[in-house]
């Protein structure tokens, strides 16, 4: 974090300063800000966030041992450290992030990109950060730091030397993106797609559209909205941009897109094709597995172009990205048995894309195996959407469908009803039981997709299989 005095921090977060030791209101702090005491470093600021299973106030002492010199708390603690007491620590770190970014931005150097969408946020963020880092100091989220905690903590990492802040905005209810994006008013807002992810929390697809459009509404006047020309729900957000005096740049496969892809060829080595940027054709090669990541690449290229990066440079740098993120289409195992571990997030759209990718990269002498778990946060749509995935798996002629967990059972039943009989589709109550089966079932030439939401825990099953067949 940039250097601020204790009194400046207390004022920014509307807190009561309780000094300790030799500290004075003018004492300056500039260390890391985090809610995890294990991430503390000398000079750091520990945020004592209450949690569902524990309470950060219990770990202030650990943070102090690791070097924290300030604790932001909701109640005073006995630990020997200066504290700022606030009503709500989440609101406090959001207010502090707003203050820090505003101060850095006042220097005129910082440019901010916000990214949202039902799928692809983390991949697009990583691709864009890869493009931008050679241009100057770039701050981007670690993993999927895109919520009320992660987004402000990422913003607090900016310094006066930072040229680009890439923020990822996730949400499972309306108003969340508006609050997070409103902290920084991005220069560029990227909306990737609107699908069924988190539809249960939002209350339906139309509510999801409204929630994602909050990013476009938060882009500062004179900024740019980068929108998916192939998604009608996203394309409709251009009206919001126009009302706010925000320019629109389009990406997709549509002929009208400013940045578009064509002639795509998918293989186990990645995706090749042509990307056209304002009439200029460039060869595209993505190492990240799956044709669905092409849209993410186009969005990153379009955003980078608005930040002054030449298209050919952006395309070349994106070609160096080998992995979107851990547990996202992560290739493991070996040529003998290849494991594709994509079990960090799952929605109907990403599940469909992953299954299609499995079909595209499996050769005629190889066998497809789909290990599938639950898609979370679908609400009343859960049964129908899981059943659709089961039907798709059969129609893609996947000869071995392994369904794990009671929440995904409707997927298994739909596959059986569609004709996946004689143990072509099997069901297991948990990942351990599935592992015991797969350990003996998998054979040379198998191409195995492991796909589920994070909560289903199949990412660890994918890791075990990857290690077993490495």
């Amino acid at each position: 974090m940039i250097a601020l005095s204790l009194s400046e921090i207390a004022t920014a977060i509307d807190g009561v300063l309780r000094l300790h030791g030799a500290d004075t209101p003018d004492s300056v702090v500039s260390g890391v800000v985090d809610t995890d005491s294990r991430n503390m470093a000398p000079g750091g600021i520990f945020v004592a966030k209450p949690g569902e299973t524990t309470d950060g106030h219990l770990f202030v002492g650990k943070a102090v041992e690791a070097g924290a010199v300030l604790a932001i708390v909701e109640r005073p603690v006995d630990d020997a450290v200066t504290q700022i007491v606030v009503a709500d620590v989440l609101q406090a770190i959001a207010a502090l992030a707003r203050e820090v970014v505003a101060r850095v931005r006042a220097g005129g150097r910082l440019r901010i990109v916000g990214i949202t969408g039902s799928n692809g946020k983390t991949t697009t963020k990583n691709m864009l950060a890869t493009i931008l880092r050679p241009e100057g100091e770039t701050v981007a989220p670690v993993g999927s730091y895109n919520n009320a905690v992660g987004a402000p903590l990422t913003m607090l990492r900016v310094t006066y030397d930072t040229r680009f802040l890439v923020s990822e905005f996730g949400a499972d209810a309306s108003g969340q993106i508006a609050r997070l994006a409103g902290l920084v008013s991005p220069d560029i807002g990227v909306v990737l797609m609107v699908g069924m992810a988190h539809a249960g929390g939002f209350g339906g697809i139309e509510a999801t559209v409204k929630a994602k459009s909050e990013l476009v509404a938060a882009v500062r006047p004179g900024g740019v909205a980068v929108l998916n020309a192939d998604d009608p729900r996203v394309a409709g957000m251009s009206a919001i941009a126009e009302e706010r005096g925000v320019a629109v740049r389009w990406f997709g496969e549509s002929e009208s897109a400013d940045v578009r892809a064509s002639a795509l060829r998918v293989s186990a080595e990645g995706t090749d094709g042509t990307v056209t940027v304002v009439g200029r054709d460039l060869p595209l090669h993505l190492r990240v597995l799956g044709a669905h990541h092409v849209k993410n690449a186009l969005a990153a290229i379009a955003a980078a172009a608005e930040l002054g990066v030449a298209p050919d440079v952006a395309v070349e740098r994106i070609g160096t990205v080998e992995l979107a993120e851990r547990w996202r289409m992560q290739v493991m195992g070996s040529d003998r048995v290849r494991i594709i571990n994509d079990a960090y997030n799952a929605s109907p759209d990403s599940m469909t894309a992953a299954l299609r990718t499995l079909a595209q990269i499996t050769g005629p002498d190889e066998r497809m195996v789909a290990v599938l778990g639950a898609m979370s946060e679908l609400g009343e749509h859960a049964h129908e959407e899981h059943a659709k995935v089961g039907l798709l798996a059969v129609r893609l002629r996947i000869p071995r469908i392994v369904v794990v967990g009671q929440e995904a059972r409707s997927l298994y039943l739909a596959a059986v009803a569609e004709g996946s009989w004689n143990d072509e589709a099997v069901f297991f109550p948990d990942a351990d039981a599935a592992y015991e089966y797969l350990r003996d079932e998998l054979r040379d030439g198998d191409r195995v997709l492991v796909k589920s939401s994070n909560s289903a825990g199949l990412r660890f099953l994918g890791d075990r299989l990857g290690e077993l067949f490495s």
Side-chain angles (χ1 to χ4, degrees):
M1 191 186 75
I2 62 172
L4 293 173
S5 70
L6 292 172
S7 62
E8 287 175 321
I9 296 173
T11 299
I13 65 178
D14 193 22
V16 177
L17 180 60
R18 296 169 58 91
L19 296 170
H20 173 75
D23 285 346
T24 71
D26 294 327
S27 297
V28 173
V29 179
S30 61
V32 64
V33 183
D34 211 295
T35 59
D36 191 332
S37 62
R38 294 167 296 184
N39 296 334
M40 276 295 99
I45 301 173
F46 178 66
V47 181
K49 181 181 74 71
E52 295 180 2
T53 58
T54 188
D55 186 344
H57 293 77
L58 302 176
F59 296 90
V60 173
K62 291 290 185 182
V64 174
E65 291 176 6
V69 296
L70 172 65
I72 299 176
V73 296
E74 292 183 359
R75 62 180 186 272
V77 295
D78 294 334
D79 299 276
V81 65
T82 292
Q83 302 163 38
I84 299 178
V85 184
V86 297
D88 186 312
V89 295
L90 293 185
Q91 292 182 11
I93 59 173
L96 185 58
R98 186 197 301 273
E99 177 71 14
V100 167
V101 171
R103 290 185 181 223
V104 173
R105 199 175 208 168
R109 178 180 174 85
L110 180 66
R111 302 291 301 281
I112 301 172
V113 182
I115 301 171
T116 195
S118 297
N119 298 113
K121 296 182 292 296
T122 299
T123 301
T124 305
K125 171 262 297 185
N126 287 340
M127 287 179 169
L128 181 58
T130 298
I131 295 172
L132 295 177
R133 284 191 182 103
E135 305 294 320
E137 182 178 298
T138 300
V139 171
V142 176
S144 294
Y145 258 34
N146 60 23
N147 59 14
V149 177
L153 291 181
T154 298
M155 296 169 188
L156 286 167
R157 289 166 44 209
V158 301
T159 71
Y160 289 109
D161 293 326
T162 304
R163 282 196 62 189
F164 306 106
L165 168 62
V166 181
S167 288
E168 178 184 336
F169 298 125
D172 53 17
S174 61
Q176 292 179 356
I177 293 174
R179 287 192 291 274
L180 293 175
L183 298 176
V184 294
S185 298
D187 300 285
I188 299 172
V190 180
V191 185
L192 299 168
M193 56 90 69
V194 175
M196 291 298 294
H198 308 299
F202 285 116
I205 194 68
E206 293 308 318
T208 306
V209 174
K210 184 177 180 181
K212 300 304 181 185
S213 69
E214 291 170 5
L215 176 56
V216 179
V219 174
R220 65 191 324 177
V224 178
V226 176
L227 304 179
N228 185 347
D230 302 331
D231 187 331
R233 297 186 179 105
V234 175
M237 298 177 191
S238 61
I240 299 173
E242 292 169 4
E243 290 173 2
R244 290 185 48 79
V246 170
V248 175
R249 297 292 181 268
W250 301 98
F251 68 92
E253 296 181 41
S254 169
E255 286 292 326
S256 63
D258 300 294
V259 181
R260 67 179 184 273
S262 58
L264 298 178
R265 302 176 303 280
V266 181
S267 71
E269 283 67 48
T271 303
D272 292 280
T274 299
V275 58
T276 303
V277 185
V278 195
R280 183 181 178 189
D281 292 340
L282 298 167
L284 175 69
H285 174 68
L286 295 182
R287 297 187 187 184
V288 179
L289 198 60
H292 53 292
H293 287 307
V294 171
K295 293 281 182 68
N296 304 328
L298 298 179
I301 294 167
E306 295 302 317
L307 295 171
V309 181
D312 56 339
V313 173
V315 172
E316 179 182 359
R317 289 174 183 169
I318 271 186
T320 67
V321 179
E322 296 183 2
L323 177 66
E325 191 78 37
R326 187 182 180 190
W327 298 316
R328 291 173 173 86
M329 299 303 284
Q330 182 177 3
V331 179
M332 309 174 75
S334 63
D335 288 340
R336 187 168 66 86
V337 178
R338 182 174 293 130
I339 309 296
I340 303 167
N341 194 350
D342 192 31
Y344 189 83
N345 280 320
S347 68
D349 296 293
S350 68
M351 190 75 84
T352 296
L355 287 170
R356 293 191 184 280
T357 297
L358 177 65
Q360 289 170 325
I361 68 170
T362 303
D365 298 326
E366 299 169 340
R367 183 178 68 156
M368 294 182 283
V369 179
V371 183
L372 307 175
M375 301 176 286
S376 61
E377 300 183 62
L378 293 176
E380 63 182 18
H381 306 285
H383 175 79
E384 176 186 1
E385 295 301 328
H386 281 92
K388 287 180 180 177
V389 172
L391 294 177
L392 176 63
V394 176
R395 291 169 183 175
L396 288 173
R397 303 190 179 207
I398 297 175
R400 189 66 79 239
I401 302 168
V402 181
V403 182
V404 185
Q406 191 62 38
E407 292 183 350
R409 189 169 177 80
S410 55
L411 191 162
Y412 163 73
L413 295 175
V416 171
E418 186 66 10
S420 188
W421 306 325
N422 298 324
D423 292 334
E424 291 178 354
V426 293
F427 174 81
F428 296 97
D430 55 52
D432 287 338
Y435 176 80
E436 292 301 319
Y437 166 80
L438 290 164
R439 183 179 60 186
D440 298 328
E441 171 65 21
L442 296 182
R443 64 194 189 213
D444 288 2
D446 281 351
R447 301 300 176 246
V448 185
L449 170 70
V450 182
K451 179 71 174 172
S452 74
S453 286
N454 197 345
S455 59
L458 295 199
R459 62 195 186 282
F460 302 119
L461 172 60
D463 286 346
R464 293 175 70 186
L465 294 173
E467 182 177 353
L468 179 65
F469 291 104
S470 62

Tab-separated table of all heavy atoms in Angstrom, residues 294-325:
chain	number	residue	atom	x	y	z
A	294	VAL	N	-11.144	-18.414	-26.536
A	294	VAL	CA	-10.864	-17.443	-27.599
A	294	VAL	C	-11.573	-16.124	-27.311
A	294	VAL	O	-11.001	-15.046	-27.482
A	294	VAL	CB	-11.274	-18.006	-28.970
A	294	VAL	CG1	-11.195	-16.925	-30.044
A	294	VAL	CG2	-10.387	-19.189	-29.344
A	295	LYS	N	-12.827	-16.199	-26.869
A	295	LYS	CA	-13.562	-14.964	-26.550
A	295	LYS	C	-12.844	-14.180	-25.459
A	295	LYS	O	-12.770	-12.940	-25.504
A	295	LYS	CB	-14.984	-15.300	-26.099
A	295	LYS	CG	-15.879	-15.891	-27.175
A	295	LYS	CD	-16.414	-14.814	-28.092
A	295	LYS	CE	-17.343	-15.437	-29.138
A	295	LYS	NZ	-18.586	-15.964	-28.558
A	296	ASN	N	-12.314	-14.881	-24.470
A	296	ASN	CA	-11.574	-14.199	-23.411
A	296	ASN	C	-10.341	-13.500	-23.967
A	296	ASN	O	-10.008	-12.378	-23.580
A	296	ASN	CB	-11.166	-15.203	-22.331
A	296	ASN	CG	-12.342	-15.958	-21.750
A	296	ASN	OD1	-13.447	-15.435	-21.659
A	296	ASN	ND2	-12.124	-17.205	-21.370
A	297	ALA	N	-9.662	-14.183	-24.891
A	297	ALA	CA	-8.482	-13.582	-25.520
A	297	ALA	C	-8.855	-12.343	-26.324
A	297	ALA	O	-8.154	-11.321	-26.281
A	297	ALA	CB	-7.796	-14.613	-26.418
A	298	LEU	N	-9.949	-12.409	-27.060
A	298	LEU	CA	-10.391	-11.260	-27.850
A	298	LEU	C	-10.701	-10.068	-26.954
A	298	LEU	O	-10.364	-8.917	-27.285
A	298	LEU	CB	-11.626	-11.632	-28.673
A	298	LEU	CG	-11.461	-12.745	-29.709
A	298	LEU	CD1	-12.788	-13.004	-30.418
A	298	LEU	CD2	-10.378	-12.403	-30.722
A	299	ALA	N	-11.364	-10.341	-25.828
A	299	ALA	CA	-11.679	-9.265	-24.893
A	299	ALA	C	-10.401	-8.621	-24.358
A	299	ALA	O	-10.301	-7.387	-24.245
A	299	ALA	CB	-12.521	-9.804	-23.744
A	300	ALA	N	-9.405	-9.449	-24.021
A	300	ALA	CA	-8.142	-8.923	-23.507
A	300	ALA	C	-7.423	-8.091	-24.566
A	300	ALA	O	-6.868	-7.028	-24.268
A	300	ALA	CB	-7.252	-10.080	-23.044
A	301	ILE	N	-7.431	-8.562	-25.802
A	301	ILE	CA	-6.789	-7.824	-26.892
A	301	ILE	C	-7.479	-6.484	-27.103
A	301	ILE	O	-6.826	-5.452	-27.303
A	301	ILE	CB	-6.796	-8.663	-28.181
A	301	ILE	CG1	-5.912	-9.898	-28.019
A	301	ILE	CG2	-6.342	-7.836	-29.383
A	301	ILE	CD1	-6.099	-10.942	-29.102
A	302	ALA	N	-8.810	-6.492	-27.058
A	302	ALA	CA	-9.566	-5.253	-27.256
A	302	ALA	C	-9.277	-4.250	-26.145
A	302	ALA	O	-9.076	-3.049	-26.402
A	302	ALA	CB	-11.058	-5.562	-27.329
A	303	ALA	N	-9.246	-4.724	-24.899
A	303	ALA	CA	-8.950	-3.825	-23.783
A	303	ALA	C	-7.528	-3.283	-23.880
A	303	ALA	O	-7.282	-2.093	-23.644
A	303	ALA	CB	-9.153	-4.558	-22.459
A	304	ALA	N	-6.591	-4.162	-24.235
A	304	ALA	CA	-5.194	-3.732	-24.353
A	304	ALA	C	-5.023	-2.681	-25.438
A	304	ALA	O	-4.241	-1.739	-25.289
A	304	ALA	CB	-4.304	-4.941	-24.640
A	305	ALA	N	-5.770	-2.841	-26.534
A	305	ALA	CA	-5.695	-1.858	-27.622
A	305	ALA	C	-6.115	-0.480	-27.129
A	305	ALA	O	-5.522	0.548	-27.517
A	305	ALA	CB	-6.566	-2.306	-28.789
A	306	GLU	N	-7.142	-0.433	-26.269
A	306	GLU	CA	-7.590	0.849	-25.719
A	306	GLU	C	-6.557	1.457	-24.781
A	306	GLU	O	-6.591	2.661	-24.516
A	306	GLU	CB	-8.917	0.669	-24.994
A	306	GLU	CG	-10.065	0.269	-25.894
A	306	GLU	CD	-10.308	1.281	-27.003
A	306	GLU	OE1	-10.272	2.490	-26.706
A	306	GLU	OE2	-10.514	0.866	-28.160
A	307	LEU	N	-5.643	0.627	-24.293
A	307	LEU	CA	-4.578	1.105	-23.413
A	307	LEU	C	-3.287	1.370	-24.169
A	307	LEU	O	-2.243	1.622	-23.560
A	307	LEU	CB	-4.335	0.077	-22.302
A	307	LEU	CG	-5.517	-0.126	-21.346
A	307	LEU	CD1	-5.268	-1.313	-20.426
A	307	LEU	CD2	-5.774	1.127	-20.532
A	308	GLY	N	-3.354	1.283	-25.504
A	308	GLY	CA	-2.209	1.653	-26.324
A	308	GLY	C	-1.275	0.546	-26.714
A	308	GLY	O	-0.197	0.807	-27.269
A	309	VAL	N	-1.647	-0.716	-26.468
A	309	VAL	CA	-0.792	-1.837	-26.848
A	309	VAL	C	-1.128	-2.264	-28.272
A	309	VAL	O	-2.291	-2.517	-28.600
A	309	VAL	CB	-0.981	-3.041	-25.897
A	309	VAL	CG1	-0.056	-4.186	-26.299
A	309	VAL	CG2	-0.704	-2.620	-24.456
A	310	ALA	N	-0.121	-2.354	-29.128
A	310	ALA	CA	-0.334	-2.732	-30.525
A	310	ALA	C	-0.921	-4.135	-30.607
A	310	ALA	O	-0.514	-5.032	-29.861
A	310	ALA	CB	0.984	-2.678	-31.292
A	311	PRO	N	-1.879	-4.366	-31.512
A	311	PRO	CA	-2.535	-5.677	-31.605
A	311	PRO	C	-1.579	-6.839	-31.803
A	311	PRO	O	-1.747	-7.899	-31.191
A	311	PRO	CB	-3.470	-5.506	-32.806
A	311	PRO	CG	-3.770	-4.045	-32.840
A	311	PRO	CD	-2.499	-3.376	-32.410
A	312	ASP	N	-0.561	-6.677	-32.671
A	312	ASP	CA	0.351	-7.794	-32.906
A	312	ASP	C	1.150	-8.127	-31.651
A	312	ASP	O	1.438	-9.305	-31.363
A	312	ASP	CB	1.287	-7.496	-34.079
A	312	ASP	CG	2.076	-6.210	-33.912
A	312	ASP	OD1	1.645	-5.342	-33.121
A	312	ASP	OD2	3.121	-6.059	-34.573
A	313	VAL	N	1.472	-7.115	-30.868
A	313	VAL	CA	2.183	-7.340	-29.606
A	313	VAL	C	1.280	-8.067	-28.619
A	313	VAL	O	1.688	-9.008	-27.948
A	313	VAL	CB	2.666	-6.003	-29.017
A	313	VAL	CG1	3.254	-6.213	-27.622
A	313	VAL	CG2	3.690	-5.355	-29.935
A	314	ALA	N	0.021	-7.627	-28.532
A	314	ALA	CA	-0.928	-8.258	-27.617
A	314	ALA	C	-1.154	-9.723	-27.975
A	314	ALA	O	-1.170	-10.597	-27.102
A	314	ALA	CB	-2.251	-7.495	-27.637
A	315	VAL	N	-1.319	-10.008	-29.257
A	315	VAL	CA	-1.551	-11.385	-29.704
A	315	VAL	C	-0.350	-12.264	-29.398
A	315	VAL	O	-0.488	-13.407	-28.947
A	315	VAL	CB	-1.884	-11.413	-31.212
A	315	VAL	CG1	-1.929	-12.846	-31.730
A	315	VAL	CG2	-3.219	-10.726	-31.477
A	316	GLU	N	0.840	-11.740	-29.624
A	316	GLU	CA	2.053	-12.516	-29.347
A	316	GLU	C	2.167	-12.842	-27.858
A	316	GLU	O	2.488	-13.970	-27.477
A	316	GLU	CB	3.288	-11.725	-29.793
A	316	GLU	CG	4.603	-12.453	-29.527
A	316	GLU	CD	5.822	-11.639	-29.927
A	316	GLU	OE1	5.648	-10.506	-30.433
A	316	GLU	OE2	6.938	-12.130	-29.730
A	317	ARG	N	1.873	-11.872	-27.007
A	317	ARG	CA	2.009	-12.091	-25.563
A	317	ARG	C	0.947	-13.067	-25.052
A	317	ARG	O	1.222	-13.877	-24.167
A	317	ARG	CB	1.919	-10.753	-24.829
A	317	ARG	CG	3.148	-9.878	-25.054
A	317	ARG	CD	3.000	-8.504	-24.445
A	317	ARG	NE	4.167	-7.668	-24.742
A	317	ARG	CZ	4.228	-6.357	-24.520
A	317	ARG	NH1	3.193	-5.724	-23.979
A	317	ARG	NH2	5.319	-5.677	-24.831
A	318	ILE	N	-0.248	-12.995	-25.586
A	318	ILE	CA	-1.287	-13.935	-25.162
A	318	ILE	C	-0.894	-15.367	-25.511
A	318	ILE	O	-1.229	-16.311	-24.793
A	318	ILE	CB	-2.643	-13.562	-25.802
A	318	ILE	CG1	-3.371	-12.577	-24.905
A	318	ILE	CG2	-3.505	-14.767	-26.068
A	318	ILE	CD1	-4.773	-12.244	-25.330
A	319	GLY	N	-0.163	-15.523	-26.590
A	319	GLY	CA	0.281	-16.853	-26.998
A	319	GLY	C	1.244	-17.505	-26.028
A	319	GLY	O	1.506	-18.709	-26.118
A	320	THR	N	1.771	-16.742	-25.071
A	320	THR	CA	2.695	-17.297	-24.088
A	320	THR	C	1.969	-17.844	-22.857
A	320	THR	O	2.587	-18.518	-22.027
A	320	THR	CB	3.708	-16.242	-23.620
A	320	THR	OG1	3.027	-15.211	-22.876
A	320	THR	CG2	4.423	-15.614	-24.802
A	321	VAL	N	0.675	-17.559	-22.733
A	321	VAL	CA	-0.082	-18.009	-21.562
A	321	VAL	C	-0.387	-19.501	-21.712
A	321	VAL	O	-1.085	-19.903	-22.637
A	321	VAL	CB	-1.398	-17.214	-21.406
A	321	VAL	CG1	-2.179	-17.723	-20.202
A	321	VAL	CG2	-1.099	-15.724	-21.266
A	322	GLU	N	0.134	-20.305	-20.819
A	322	GLU	CA	-0.041	-21.753	-20.917
A	322	GLU	C	-1.205	-22.268	-20.068
A	322	GLU	O	-1.806	-23.287	-20.392
A	322	GLU	CB	1.244	-22.470	-20.490
A	322	GLU	CG	2.430	-22.175	-21.393
A	322	GLU	CD	3.660	-22.958	-20.993
A	322	GLU	OE1	3.571	-23.752	-20.033
A	322	GLU	OE2	4.715	-22.782	-21.622
A	323	LEU	N	-1.523	-21.571	-18.998
A	323	LEU	CA	-2.558	-22.029	-18.078
A	323	LEU	C	-3.354	-20.832	-17.608
A	323	LEU	O	-2.785	-19.831	-17.149
A	323	LEU	CB	-1.928	-22.736	-16.872
A	323	LEU	CG	-2.865	-23.215	-15.765
A	323	LEU	CD1	-3.785	-24.318	-16.288
A	323	LEU	CD2	-2.061	-23.713	-14.567
A	324	ALA	N	-4.683	-20.927	-17.748
A	324	ALA	CA	-5.526	-19.824	-17.312
A	324	ALA	C	-5.357	-19.578	-15.814
A	324	ALA	O	-5.214	-18.445	-15.362
A	324	ALA	CB	-6.988	-20.130	-17.635
A	325	GLU	N	-5.380	-20.630	-15.054
A	325	GLU	CA	-5.226	-20.595	-13.601
A	325	GLU	C	-5.261	-22.046	-13.141
A	325	GLU	O	-5.757	-22.929	-13.831
A	325	GLU	CB	-6.373	-19.800	-12.969
A	325	GLU	CG	-6.193	-19.463	-11.503
A	325	GLU	CD	-5.247	-18.300	-11.237
A	325	GLU	OE1	-5.245	-17.330	-12.014
A	325	GLU	OE2	-4.496	-18.386	-10.254
